[in-house]
Amino acid sequence: MSVGSEDTKDRAGYAATSDERHRERMQRKKELIDRKIARATIERGVLVVNTGNGKGKSSSGFGMLARSLGHGFQCGVVQFIKGSFSTGEEAFFRRFEELDYHVMGEGFTWETQDKERDIRAAQAAWAIAARMLADPGYDFVLLDELNIALAHRYIALDDVLAAVAARPPQQHVVITGRGAPDALIEAADTVTDMRVVKHAFKAGIKAQKGIEL
């Protein structure tokens, strides 16, 4: 047998062994995941909190909104901060009859520069959100940037905790915004803390339609 033939045979044997090891690893992984899935038997609404300084908190919430609408859920959205400018998500999602959409903020706090006005806007938004959280007709509720209103103490944290705890058993709730309070994180079922690695704005690139707007 030539040297070239031996090399080809060795490579083929190595590839076969590597494939077998891969199959064995994937089989063990599948068995582990299947066991975890089998243990997850509770079916109820979940409270999701997206926080942190990184981009994507609201985007993730609206992604879950799209998924919920795809399943035919009745959904509600309350935006606590955004409001002084139009966004792509508002333009897109308002076309759905299954969605009750409220933009209640008057812009970022450094834009309004009026604390009492911000408090009134936040509390008006919370009144609508509290109504949704008490209504079993809503399957999914997105409270966008609520964490910011909580961080500024425009809304009482105890009121929010009581409302999410007393909501209908099958209702899903997503709360976004940086600075989520510890008590809300503790109450949540799923928490994601988004971290900044790079952001185009720091390089002087303005907010772009489809990305930030």
Side-chain angles (χ1 to χ4, degrees):
M1 181 181 295
S2 67
V3 174
S5 297
E6 291 177 355
D7 288 344
T8 300
K9 183 177 180 181
D10 289 344
R11 285 196 297 271
Y14 175 81
T17 301
S18 179
D19 288 346
E20 182 59 31
R21 289 174 179 169
H22 175 76
R23 282 193 293 271
E24 290 174 355
R25 286 197 303 272
M26 293 303 102
Q27 180 61 35
R28 289 195 296 270
K29 185 173 184 178
K30 182 180 185 307
E31 291 171 355
L32 177 62
I33 292 173
D34 286 347
R35 287 197 295 271
K36 290 182 178 179
I37 292 173
R39 288 197 297 268
T41 58
I42 301 170
E43 186 172 349
R44 63 167 175 80
V46 296
L47 173 60
V48 178
V49 173
N50 293 335
T51 192
N53 293 329
K55 175 177 168 50
K57 299 178 288 293
S58 294
S59 300
S60 174
F62 280 101
M64 285 182 271
L65 172 62
R67 186 177 295 154
S68 295
L69 289 168
H71 285 293
F73 289 178
Q74 185 68 38
C75 301
V77 173
V78 180
Q79 292 190 284
F80 281 79
I81 301 298
K82 301 182 181 79
S84 61
F85 54 88
S86 61
T87 61
E89 59 261 27
E90 180 185 357
F92 176 79
F93 283 108
R94 279 197 182 278
R95 69 189 68 180
F96 291 92
E97 294 181 358
E98 306 93 328
L99 176 59
D100 187 8
Y101 199 122
H102 297 266
V103 180
M104 300 296 294
E106 297 192 28
F108 294 103
T109 53
W110 61 82
E111 294 286 354
T112 62
Q113 300 179 18
D114 186 335
K115 183 176 181 180
E116 291 305 315
R117 175 178 162 187
D118 290 339
I119 291 173
R120 288 194 301 271
Q123 291 184 349
W126 173 244
I128 294 174
R131 172 179 59 78
M132 291 181 178
L133 294 173
D135 188 343
Y138 290 91
D139 304 300
F140 176 95
V141 177
L142 170 59
L143 305 179
D144 188 38
E145 306 287 12
L146 172 57
N147 288 334
I148 294 178
L150 290 171
H152 286 291
R153 298 182 180 177
Y154 294 164
I155 299 168
L157 174 59
D158 287 346
D159 290 348
V160 174
L161 293 174
V164 296
R167 74 187 193 277
Q170 299 303 316
Q171 186 185 83
H172 303 298
V173 178
V174 178
I175 297 175
T176 74
R178 63 183 63 196
D182 291 341
L184 182 60
I185 290 174
E186 180 65 26
D189 298 291
T190 299
V191 179
T192 299
D193 190 342
M194 306 216 175
R195 181 173 66 91
V196 177
V197 177
K198 293 179 70 176
H199 199 295
F201 182 70
K202 292 184 178 180
I205 301 171
K206 71 177 186 178
Q208 302 291 306
K209 289 183 178 180
I211 304 300
E212 285 86 19
L213 303 177

